[in-house]
Amino acid sequence: MFARIGILLAVLFSVASCDLAASDEVHIIRASEAERIRANQLEWVNEARAARGLGALTMSAALNAASDVHAADISDQRRVWDFGSDRSSPQSRAQRYGFVGLITGENVAETFAMNDVILQVWLGDTRSRLAIMHPDATVFGIGWKQDPDGRIWWVQMFGAAAANSEIVMAELE
């Protein structure tokens, strides 16, 4: 586990010294890669959290959906920020997609880098790292939209799910 974190930190330092611009080798994300990307991101986030003595997160379908929609929205806006074009906040977007609980953090990015690299960039940024390492977070979601030129708009969300969220969701159905 610590070896993987060391490797990821090495990637961070090499990325920090180069421009994350388009290149001839832009990876186009295929639909078949979505689950693997999400699983890898969750695994790496949990490894980073474990290194700090924090509990593991679980994947949230609601936060994945909210992240995907926000990624498409910030791509349309051509602006990396936490608010939707409809003035929605991370909390209101998560609730719109069925999340019951409190959003503890959201990270956004625009880059040509894949999910392993963007995680390292977020871990290297104080504000983003605080979202990843929030001690109350229990769930995780990630989404993206890739433009035709290969640019990826990433959104990563963290939340503290309500203890009775499955009961509440069952009542809503």
PDB file of all heavy atoms in Angstrom, residues 71-107:
ATOM      1  N   ALA A  71     -20.009  17.508 -14.403  1.00  0.00           N
ATOM      2  CA  ALA A  71     -18.892  17.517 -15.359  1.00  0.00           C
ATOM      3  C   ALA A  71     -19.367  17.985 -16.728  1.00  0.00           C
ATOM      4  O   ALA A  71     -18.700  18.801 -17.383  1.00  0.00           O
ATOM      5  CB  ALA A  71     -18.253  16.132 -15.446  1.00  0.00           C
ATOM      6  N   ALA A  72     -20.518  17.496 -17.171  1.00  0.00           N
ATOM      7  CA  ALA A  72     -21.073  17.931 -18.461  1.00  0.00           C
ATOM      8  C   ALA A  72     -21.413  19.422 -18.415  1.00  0.00           C
ATOM      9  O   ALA A  72     -21.170  20.152 -19.390  1.00  0.00           O
ATOM     10  CB  ALA A  72     -22.307  17.112 -18.806  1.00  0.00           C
ATOM     11  N   ASP A  73     -21.927  19.882 -17.288  1.00  0.00           N
ATOM     12  CA  ASP A  73     -22.301  21.281 -17.146  1.00  0.00           C
ATOM     13  C   ASP A  73     -21.073  22.200 -17.170  1.00  0.00           C
ATOM     14  O   ASP A  73     -21.071  23.212 -17.874  1.00  0.00           O
ATOM     15  CB  ASP A  73     -23.099  21.472 -15.855  1.00  0.00           C
ATOM     16  CG  ASP A  73     -23.700  22.855 -15.734  1.00  0.00           C
ATOM     17  OD1 ASP A  73     -24.077  23.455 -16.761  1.00  0.00           O
ATOM     18  OD2 ASP A  73     -23.810  23.354 -14.595  1.00  0.00           O
ATOM     19  N   ILE A  74     -20.022  21.842 -16.436  1.00  0.00           N
ATOM     20  CA  ILE A  74     -18.850  22.727 -16.451  1.00  0.00           C
ATOM     21  C   ILE A  74     -18.145  22.676 -17.802  1.00  0.00           C
ATOM     22  O   ILE A  74     -17.538  23.666 -18.221  1.00  0.00           O
ATOM     23  CB  ILE A  74     -17.875  22.475 -15.267  1.00  0.00           C
ATOM     24  CG1 ILE A  74     -17.295  21.071 -15.268  1.00  0.00           C
ATOM     25  CG2 ILE A  74     -18.555  22.808 -13.946  1.00  0.00           C
ATOM     26  CD1 ILE A  74     -16.252  20.810 -14.180  1.00  0.00           C
ATOM     27  N   SER A  75     -18.249  21.553 -18.506  1.00  0.00           N
ATOM     28  CA  SER A  75     -17.726  21.498 -19.868  1.00  0.00           C
ATOM     29  C   SER A  75     -18.489  22.482 -20.748  1.00  0.00           C
ATOM     30  O   SER A  75     -17.885  23.244 -21.512  1.00  0.00           O
ATOM     31  CB  SER A  75     -17.853  20.083 -20.430  1.00  0.00           C
ATOM     32  OG  SER A  75     -17.580  20.059 -21.805  1.00  0.00           O
ATOM     33  N   ASP A  76     -19.812  22.475 -20.643  1.00  0.00           N
ATOM     34  CA  ASP A  76     -20.627  23.412 -21.422  1.00  0.00           C
ATOM     35  C   ASP A  76     -20.321  24.863 -21.052  1.00  0.00           C
ATOM     36  O   ASP A  76     -20.299  25.735 -21.914  1.00  0.00           O
ATOM     37  CB  ASP A  76     -22.123  23.148 -21.201  1.00  0.00           C
ATOM     38  CG  ASP A  76     -22.586  21.842 -21.816  1.00  0.00           C
ATOM     39  OD1 ASP A  76     -21.851  21.265 -22.661  1.00  0.00           O
ATOM     40  OD2 ASP A  76     -23.684  21.380 -21.441  1.00  0.00           O
ATOM     41  N   GLN A  77     -20.090  25.106 -19.765  1.00  0.00           N
ATOM     42  CA  GLN A  77     -19.787  26.464 -19.290  1.00  0.00           C
ATOM     43  C   GLN A  77     -18.364  26.897 -19.631  1.00  0.00           C
ATOM     44  O   GLN A  77     -18.054  28.078 -19.597  1.00  0.00           O
ATOM     45  CB  GLN A  77     -19.948  26.557 -17.764  1.00  0.00           C
ATOM     46  CG  GLN A  77     -21.337  26.390 -17.245  1.00  0.00           C
ATOM     47  CD  GLN A  77     -21.339  26.527 -15.744  1.00  0.00           C
ATOM     48  OE1 GLN A  77     -21.025  27.593 -15.211  1.00  0.00           O
ATOM     49  NE2 GLN A  77     -21.689  25.454 -15.039  1.00  0.00           N
ATOM     50  N   ARG A  78     -17.494  25.896 -19.901  1.00  0.00           N
ATOM     51  CA  ARG A  78     -16.061  26.144 -20.119  1.00  0.00           C
ATOM     52  C   ARG A  78     -15.468  26.822 -18.892  1.00  0.00           C
ATOM     53  O   ARG A  78     -14.647  27.723 -18.980  1.00  0.00           O
ATOM     54  CB  ARG A  78     -15.792  26.980 -21.369  1.00  0.00           C
ATOM     55  CG  ARG A  78     -16.457  26.524 -22.642  1.00  0.00           C
ATOM     56  CD  ARG A  78     -16.308  25.085 -22.944  1.00  0.00           C
ATOM     57  NE  ARG A  78     -15.018  24.730 -23.522  1.00  0.00           N
ATOM     58  CZ  ARG A  78     -14.680  23.488 -23.783  1.00  0.00           C
ATOM     59  NH1 ARG A  78     -15.516  22.507 -23.528  1.00  0.00           N
ATOM     60  NH2 ARG A  78     -13.519  23.205 -24.294  1.00  0.00           N
ATOM     61  N   ARG A  79     -15.902  26.353 -17.719  1.00  0.00           N
ATOM     62  CA  ARG A  79     -15.490  26.970 -16.457  1.00  0.00           C
ATOM     63  C   ARG A  79     -15.423  25.893 -15.381  1.00  0.00           C
ATOM     64  O   ARG A  79     -16.391  25.183 -15.151  1.00  0.00           O
ATOM     65  CB  ARG A  79     -16.510  28.032 -16.076  1.00  0.00           C
ATOM     66  CG  ARG A  79     -16.191  28.767 -14.836  1.00  0.00           C
ATOM     67  CD  ARG A  79     -17.214  29.847 -14.607  1.00  0.00           C
ATOM     68  NE  ARG A  79     -16.832  30.646 -13.457  1.00  0.00           N
ATOM     69  CZ  ARG A  79     -17.474  31.710 -13.064  1.00  0.00           C
ATOM     70  NH1 ARG A  79     -18.519  32.139 -13.739  1.00  0.00           N
ATOM     71  NH2 ARG A  79     -17.088  32.374 -12.002  1.00  0.00           N
ATOM     72  N   VAL A  80     -14.271  25.799 -14.723  1.00  0.00           N
ATOM     73  CA  VAL A  80     -14.085  24.820 -13.656  1.00  0.00           C
ATOM     74  C   VAL A  80     -14.455  25.475 -12.328  1.00  0.00           C
ATOM     75  O   VAL A  80     -13.731  26.324 -11.821  1.00  0.00           O
ATOM     76  CB  VAL A  80     -12.616  24.326 -13.608  1.00  0.00           C
ATOM     77  CG1 VAL A  80     -12.408  23.349 -12.476  1.00  0.00           C
ATOM     78  CG2 VAL A  80     -12.237  23.687 -14.928  1.00  0.00           C
ATOM     79  N   TRP A  81     -15.624  25.095 -11.821  1.00  0.00           N
ATOM     80  CA  TRP A  81     -16.040  25.600 -10.517  1.00  0.00           C
ATOM     81  C   TRP A  81     -17.110  24.697  -9.944  1.00  0.00           C
ATOM     82  O   TRP A  81     -17.595  23.783 -10.597  1.00  0.00           O
ATOM     83  CB  TRP A  81     -16.449  27.059 -10.594  1.00  0.00           C
ATOM     84  CG  TRP A  81     -17.712  27.395 -11.357  1.00  0.00           C
ATOM     85  CD1 TRP A  81     -18.268  26.751 -12.429  1.00  0.00           C
ATOM     86  CD2 TRP A  81     -18.576  28.487 -11.090  1.00  0.00           C
ATOM     87  NE1 TRP A  81     -19.394  27.381 -12.845  1.00  0.00           N
ATOM     88  CE2 TRP A  81     -19.621  28.456 -12.041  1.00  0.00           C
ATOM     89  CE3 TRP A  81     -18.580  29.515 -10.150  1.00  0.00           C
ATOM     90  CZ2 TRP A  81     -20.647  29.386 -12.052  1.00  0.00           C
ATOM     91  CZ3 TRP A  81     -19.597  30.448 -10.184  1.00  0.00           C
ATOM     92  CH2 TRP A  81     -20.609  30.376 -11.127  1.00  0.00           C
ATOM     93  N   ASP A  82     -17.480  24.972  -8.677  1.00  0.00           N
ATOM     94  CA  ASP A  82     -18.378  24.081  -7.953  1.00  0.00           C
ATOM     95  C   ASP A  82     -19.865  24.362  -8.173  1.00  0.00           C
ATOM     96  O   ASP A  82     -20.698  23.645  -7.640  1.00  0.00           O
ATOM     97  CB  ASP A  82     -18.082  24.147  -6.451  1.00  0.00           C
ATOM     98  CG  ASP A  82     -16.705  23.595  -6.122  1.00  0.00           C
ATOM     99  OD1 ASP A  82     -16.360  22.528  -6.654  1.00  0.00           O
ATOM    100  OD2 ASP A  82     -15.973  24.236  -5.353  1.00  0.00           O
ATOM    101  N   PHE A  83     -20.191  25.394  -8.945  1.00  0.00           N
ATOM    102  CA  PHE A  83     -21.596  25.754  -9.103  1.00  0.00           C
ATOM    103  C   PHE A  83     -22.090  25.470 -10.510  1.00  0.00           C
ATOM    104  O   PHE A  83     -21.398  25.704 -11.486  1.00  0.00           O
ATOM    105  CB  PHE A  83     -21.808  27.219  -8.714  1.00  0.00           C
ATOM    106  CG  PHE A  83     -21.496  27.435  -7.263  1.00  0.00           C
ATOM    107  CD1 PHE A  83     -20.248  27.868  -6.865  1.00  0.00           C
ATOM    108  CD2 PHE A  83     -22.431  27.114  -6.297  1.00  0.00           C
ATOM    109  CE1 PHE A  83     -19.941  28.013  -5.526  1.00  0.00           C
ATOM    110  CE2 PHE A  83     -22.136  27.258  -4.951  1.00  0.00           C
ATOM    111  CZ  PHE A  83     -20.885  27.708  -4.560  1.00  0.00           C
ATOM    112  N   GLY A  84     -23.333  24.996 -10.570  1.00  0.00           N
ATOM    113  CA  GLY A  84     -23.927  24.659 -11.846  1.00  0.00           C
ATOM    114  C   GLY A  84     -24.428  25.886 -12.571  1.00  0.00           C
ATOM    115  O   GLY A  84     -24.609  26.956 -11.981  1.00  0.00           O
ATOM    116  N   SER A  85     -24.681  25.727 -13.853  1.00  0.00           N
ATOM    117  CA  SER A  85     -25.217  26.832 -14.649  1.00  0.00           C
ATOM    118  C   SER A  85     -26.600  27.234 -14.141  1.00  0.00           C
ATOM    119  O   SER A  85     -27.043  28.357 -14.358  1.00  0.00           O
ATOM    120  CB  SER A  85     -25.285  26.451 -16.129  1.00  0.00           C
ATOM    121  OG  SER A  85     -26.088  25.296 -16.299  1.00  0.00           O
ATOM    122  N   ASP A  86     -27.257  26.329 -13.431  1.00  0.00           N
ATOM    123  CA  ASP A  86     -28.552  26.631 -12.816  1.00  0.00           C
ATOM    124  C   ASP A  86     -28.393  27.144 -11.381  1.00  0.00           C
ATOM    125  O   ASP A  86     -29.354  27.196 -10.625  1.00  0.00           O
ATOM    126  CB  ASP A  86     -29.447  25.391 -12.835  1.00  0.00           C
ATOM    127  CG  ASP A  86     -28.852  24.227 -12.046  1.00  0.00           C
ATOM    128  OD1 ASP A  86     -27.706  24.335 -11.542  1.00  0.00           O
ATOM    129  OD2 ASP A  86     -29.527  23.194 -11.938  1.00  0.00           O
ATOM    130  N   ARG A  87     -27.146  27.483 -11.026  1.00  0.00           N
ATOM    131  CA  ARG A  87     -26.770  27.986  -9.693  1.00  0.00           C
ATOM    132  C   ARG A  87     -26.850  26.904  -8.614  1.00  0.00           C
ATOM    133  O   ARG A  87     -26.905  27.200  -7.432  1.00  0.00           O
ATOM    134  CB  ARG A  87     -27.588  29.205  -9.295  1.00  0.00           C
ATOM    135  CG  ARG A  87     -27.369  30.357 -10.234  1.00  0.00           C
ATOM    136  CD  ARG A  87     -28.049  31.592  -9.775  1.00  0.00           C
ATOM    137  NE  ARG A  87     -27.759  32.640 -10.746  1.00  0.00           N
ATOM    138  CZ  ARG A  87     -28.400  33.767 -10.805  1.00  0.00           C
ATOM    139  NH1 ARG A  87     -29.350  34.032  -9.957  1.00  0.00           N
ATOM    140  NH2 ARG A  87     -28.081  34.650 -11.720  1.00  0.00           N
ATOM    141  N   SER A  88     -26.862  25.656  -9.028  1.00  0.00           N
ATOM    142  CA  SER A  88     -26.904  24.559  -8.061  1.00  0.00           C
ATOM    143  C   SER A  88     -25.565  24.440  -7.341  1.00  0.00           C
ATOM    144  O   SER A  88     -24.514  24.732  -7.894  1.00  0.00           O
ATOM    145  CB  SER A  88     -27.246  23.239  -8.761  1.00  0.00           C
ATOM    146  OG  SER A  88     -26.264  22.917  -9.727  1.00  0.00           O
ATOM    147  N   SER A  89     -25.647  24.005  -6.106  1.00  0.00           N
ATOM    148  CA  SER A  89     -24.465  23.745  -5.287  1.00  0.00           C
ATOM    149  C   SER A  89     -24.185  22.239  -5.312  1.00  0.00           C
ATOM    150  O   SER A  89     -25.042  21.449  -5.731  1.00  0.00           O
ATOM    151  CB  SER A  89     -24.730  24.177  -3.847  1.00  0.00           C
ATOM    152  OG  SER A  89     -25.722  23.334  -3.266  1.00  0.00           O
ATOM    153  N   PRO A  90     -23.023  21.825  -4.840  1.00  0.00           N
ATOM    154  CA  PRO A  90     -22.773  20.386  -4.747  1.00  0.00           C
ATOM    155  C   PRO A  90     -23.856  19.671  -3.929  1.00  0.00           C
ATOM    156  O   PRO A  90     -24.306  18.587  -4.313  1.00  0.00           O
ATOM    157  CB  PRO A  90     -21.402  20.309  -4.069  1.00  0.00           C
ATOM    158  CG  PRO A  90     -20.732  21.586  -4.471  1.00  0.00           C
ATOM    159  CD  PRO A  90     -21.828  22.618  -4.482  1.00  0.00           C
ATOM    160  N   GLN A  91     -24.295  20.282  -2.848  1.00  0.00           N
ATOM    161  CA  GLN A  91     -25.320  19.673  -1.998  1.00  0.00           C
ATOM    162  C   GLN A  91     -26.646  19.508  -2.748  1.00  0.00           C
ATOM    163  O   GLN A  91     -27.241  18.427  -2.744  1.00  0.00           O
ATOM    164  CB  GLN A  91     -25.544  20.510  -0.735  1.00  0.00           C
ATOM    165  CG  GLN A  91     -26.537  19.900   0.237  1.00  0.00           C
ATOM    166  CD  GLN A  91     -26.007  18.656   0.922  1.00  0.00           C
ATOM    167  OE1 GLN A  91     -24.863  18.614   1.359  1.00  0.00           O
ATOM    168  NE2 GLN A  91     -26.825  17.622   1.013  1.00  0.00           N
ATOM    169  N   SER A  92     -27.090  20.555  -3.409  1.00  0.00           N
ATOM    170  CA  SER A  92     -28.386  20.462  -4.109  1.00  0.00           C
ATOM    171  C   SER A  92     -28.314  19.482  -5.276  1.00  0.00           C
ATOM    172  O   SER A  92     -29.276  18.747  -5.532  1.00  0.00           O
ATOM    173  CB  SER A  92     -28.864  21.842  -4.566  1.00  0.00           C
ATOM    174  OG  SER A  92     -27.985  22.413  -5.510  1.00  0.00           O
ATOM    175  N   ARG A  93     -27.168  19.423  -5.979  1.00  0.00           N
ATOM    176  CA  ARG A  93     -27.040  18.448  -7.074  1.00  0.00           C
ATOM    177  C   ARG A  93     -27.083  17.025  -6.547  1.00  0.00           C
ATOM    178  O   ARG A  93     -27.741  16.154  -7.108  1.00  0.00           O
ATOM    179  CB  ARG A  93     -25.740  18.674  -7.845  1.00  0.00           C
ATOM    180  CG  ARG A  93     -25.799  19.776  -8.843  1.00  0.00           C
ATOM    181  CD  ARG A  93     -24.594  19.755  -9.758  1.00  0.00           C
ATOM    182  NE  ARG A  93     -23.318  19.761  -9.053  1.00  0.00           N
ATOM    183  CZ  ARG A  93     -22.736  20.850  -8.565  1.00  0.00           C
ATOM    184  NH1 ARG A  93     -23.310  22.033  -8.692  1.00  0.00           N
ATOM    185  NH2 ARG A  93     -21.582  20.771  -7.956  1.00  0.00           N
ATOM    186  N   ALA A  94     -26.373  16.782  -5.451  1.00  0.00           N
ATOM    187  CA  ALA A  94     -26.356  15.436  -4.879  1.00  0.00           C
ATOM    188  C   ALA A  94     -27.757  15.012  -4.453  1.00  0.00           C
ATOM    189  O   ALA A  94     -28.182  13.881  -4.723  1.00  0.00           O
ATOM    190  CB  ALA A  94     -25.393  15.390  -3.695  1.00  0.00           C
ATOM    191  N   GLN A  95     -28.483  15.910  -3.814  1.00  0.00           N
ATOM    192  CA  GLN A  95     -29.848  15.598  -3.389  1.00  0.00           C
ATOM    193  C   GLN A  95     -30.753  15.335  -4.588  1.00  0.00           C
ATOM    194  O   GLN A  95     -31.606  14.442  -4.551  1.00  0.00           O
ATOM    195  CB  GLN A  95     -30.409  16.737  -2.537  1.00  0.00           C
ATOM    196  CG  GLN A  95     -29.745  16.813  -1.181  1.00  0.00           C
ATOM    197  CD  GLN A  95     -30.120  18.059  -0.405  1.00  0.00           C
ATOM    198  OE1 GLN A  95     -30.443  19.098  -0.959  1.00  0.00           O
ATOM    199  NE2 GLN A  95     -30.041  17.941   0.911  1.00  0.00           N
ATOM    200  N   ARG A  96     -30.565  16.102  -5.654  1.00  0.00           N
ATOM    201  CA  ARG A  96     -31.358  15.925  -6.869  1.00  0.00           C
ATOM    202  C   ARG A  96     -31.212  14.503  -7.414  1.00  0.00           C
ATOM    203  O   ARG A  96     -32.140  13.945  -7.998  1.00  0.00           O
ATOM    204  CB  ARG A  96     -30.900  16.933  -7.917  1.00  0.00           C
ATOM    205  CG  ARG A  96     -31.736  16.984  -9.165  1.00  0.00           C
ATOM    206  CD  ARG A  96     -31.212  18.021 -10.147  1.00  0.00           C
ATOM    207  NE  ARG A  96     -31.100  19.341  -9.542  1.00  0.00           N
ATOM    208  CZ  ARG A  96     -30.240  20.285  -9.935  1.00  0.00           C
ATOM    209  NH1 ARG A  96     -29.429  20.060 -10.952  1.00  0.00           N
ATOM    210  NH2 ARG A  96     -30.199  21.445  -9.339  1.00  0.00           N
ATOM    211  N   TYR A  97     -30.056  13.888  -7.207  1.00  0.00           N
ATOM    212  CA  TYR A  97     -29.810  12.540  -7.719  1.00  0.00           C
ATOM    213  C   TYR A  97     -29.966  11.458  -6.659  1.00  0.00           C
ATOM    214  O   TYR A  97     -29.513  10.336  -6.841  1.00  0.00           O
ATOM    215  CB  TYR A  97     -28.448  12.483  -8.424  1.00  0.00           C
ATOM    216  CG  TYR A  97     -28.538  13.268  -9.698  1.00  0.00           C
ATOM    217  CD1 TYR A  97     -28.176  14.611  -9.737  1.00  0.00           C
ATOM    218  CD2 TYR A  97     -29.096  12.704 -10.840  1.00  0.00           C
ATOM    219  CE1 TYR A  97     -28.346  15.362 -10.893  1.00  0.00           C
ATOM    220  CE2 TYR A  97     -29.265  13.449 -11.994  1.00  0.00           C
ATOM    221  CZ  TYR A  97     -28.886  14.772 -12.009  1.00  0.00           C
ATOM    222  OH  TYR A  97     -29.059  15.498 -13.148  1.00  0.00           O
ATOM    223  N   GLY A  98     -30.628  11.819  -5.551  1.00  0.00           N
ATOM    224  CA  GLY A  98     -31.007  10.820  -4.561  1.00  0.00           C
ATOM    225  C   GLY A  98     -30.099  10.681  -3.361  1.00  0.00           C
ATOM    226  O   GLY A  98     -30.316   9.798  -2.526  1.00  0.00           O
ATOM    227  N   PHE A  99     -29.086  11.514  -3.226  1.00  0.00           N
ATOM    228  CA  PHE A  99     -28.189  11.409  -2.078  1.00  0.00           C
ATOM    229  C   PHE A  99     -28.878  11.945  -0.832  1.00  0.00           C
ATOM    230  O   PHE A  99     -29.454  13.029  -0.846  1.00  0.00           O
ATOM    231  CB  PHE A  99     -26.890  12.183  -2.336  1.00  0.00           C
ATOM    232  CG  PHE A  99     -25.935  12.120  -1.179  1.00  0.00           C
ATOM    233  CD1 PHE A  99     -25.289  10.936  -0.867  1.00  0.00           C
ATOM    234  CD2 PHE A  99     -25.701  13.234  -0.399  1.00  0.00           C
ATOM    235  CE1 PHE A  99     -24.418  10.871   0.211  1.00  0.00           C
ATOM    236  CE2 PHE A  99     -24.828  13.185   0.670  1.00  0.00           C
ATOM    237  CZ  PHE A  99     -24.181  12.003   0.978  1.00  0.00           C
ATOM    238  N   VAL A 100     -28.789  11.183   0.242  1.00  0.00           N
ATOM    239  CA  VAL A 100     -29.329  11.596   1.531  1.00  0.00           C
ATOM    240  C   VAL A 100     -28.151  11.714   2.492  1.00  0.00           C
ATOM    241  O   VAL A 100     -27.505  10.717   2.814  1.00  0.00           O
ATOM    242  CB  VAL A 100     -30.363  10.579   2.063  1.00  0.00           C
ATOM    243  CG1 VAL A 100     -30.891  11.013   3.420  1.00  0.00           C
ATOM    244  CG2 VAL A 100     -31.496  10.405   1.067  1.00  0.00           C
ATOM    245  N   GLY A 101     -27.857  12.919   2.890  1.00  0.00           N
ATOM    246  CA  GLY A 101     -26.729  13.171   3.778  1.00  0.00           C
ATOM    247  C   GLY A 101     -26.145  14.532   3.492  1.00  0.00           C
ATOM    248  O   GLY A 101     -26.795  15.392   2.874  1.00  0.00           O
ATOM    249  N   LEU A 102     -24.921  14.739   3.918  1.00  0.00           N
ATOM    250  CA  LEU A 102     -24.238  16.023   3.776  1.00  0.00           C
ATOM    251  C   LEU A 102     -23.034  15.885   2.848  1.00  0.00           C
ATOM    252  O   LEU A 102     -22.202  14.985   3.037  1.00  0.00           O
ATOM    253  CB  LEU A 102     -23.776  16.516   5.148  1.00  0.00           C
ATOM    254  CG  LEU A 102     -23.021  17.832   5.184  1.00  0.00           C
ATOM    255  CD1 LEU A 102     -23.955  18.989   4.790  1.00  0.00           C
ATOM    256  CD2 LEU A 102     -22.454  18.079   6.565  1.00  0.00           C
ATOM    257  N   ILE A 103     -22.923  16.749   1.871  1.00  0.00           N
ATOM    258  CA  ILE A 103     -21.730  16.775   1.016  1.00  0.00           C
ATOM    259  C   ILE A 103     -20.598  17.395   1.829  1.00  0.00           C
ATOM    260  O   ILE A 103     -20.735  18.485   2.375  1.00  0.00           O
ATOM    261  CB  ILE A 103     -21.983  17.576  -0.276  1.00  0.00           C
ATOM    262  CG1 ILE A 103     -23.016  16.856  -1.139  1.00  0.00           C
ATOM    263  CG2 ILE A 103     -20.692  17.800  -1.061  1.00  0.00           C
ATOM    264  CD1 ILE A 103     -22.619  15.449  -1.558  1.00  0.00           C
ATOM    265  N   THR A 104     -19.501  16.673   1.922  1.00  0.00           N
ATOM    266  CA  THR A 104     -18.355  17.158   2.698  1.00  0.00           C
ATOM    267  C   THR A 104     -17.278  17.778   1.825  1.00  0.00           C
ATOM    268  O   THR A 104     -16.376  18.435   2.334  1.00  0.00           O
ATOM    269  CB  THR A 104     -17.744  16.015   3.532  1.00  0.00           C
ATOM    270  OG1 THR A 104     -17.331  14.958   2.643  1.00  0.00           O
ATOM    271  CG2 THR A 104     -18.754  15.476   4.542  1.00  0.00           C
ATOM    272  N   GLY A 105     -17.349  17.571   0.504  1.00  0.00           N
ATOM    273  CA  GLY A 105     -16.357  18.171  -0.381  1.00  0.00           C
ATOM    274  C   GLY A 105     -16.586  17.805  -1.834  1.00  0.00           C
ATOM    275  O   GLY A 105     -17.260  16.818  -2.146  1.00  0.00           O
ATOM    276  N   GLU A 106     -16.046  18.660  -2.696  1.00  0.00           N
ATOM    277  CA  GLU A 106     -16.113  18.421  -4.135  1.00  0.00           C
ATOM    278  C   GLU A 106     -14.830  18.950  -4.765  1.00  0.00           C
ATOM    279  O   GLU A 106     -14.374  20.036  -4.421  1.00  0.00           O
ATOM    280  CB  GLU A 106     -17.319  19.128  -4.750  1.00  0.00           C
ATOM    281  CG  GLU A 106     -17.434  18.912  -6.252  1.00  0.00           C
ATOM    282  CD  GLU A 106     -18.634  19.611  -6.859  1.00  0.00           C
ATOM    283  OE1 GLU A 106     -18.602  20.859  -6.979  1.00  0.00           O
ATOM    284  OE2 GLU A 106     -19.603  18.909  -7.201  1.00  0.00           O
ATOM    285  N   ASN A 107     -14.264  18.175  -5.664  1.00  0.00           N
ATOM    286  CA  ASN A 107     -13.099  18.596  -6.436  1.00  0.00           C
ATOM    287  C   ASN A 107     -13.472  18.624  -7.907  1.00  0.00           C
ATOM    288  O   ASN A 107     -14.166  17.727  -8.389  1.00  0.00           O
ATOM    289  CB  ASN A 107     -11.921  17.633  -6.218  1.00  0.00           C
ATOM    290  CG  ASN A 107     -11.375  17.721  -4.813  1.00  0.00           C
ATOM    291  OD1 ASN A 107     -11.368  18.786  -4.211  1.00  0.00           O
ATOM    292  ND2 ASN A 107     -10.930  16.600  -4.283  1.00  0.00           N
TER     293      ASN A 107
END
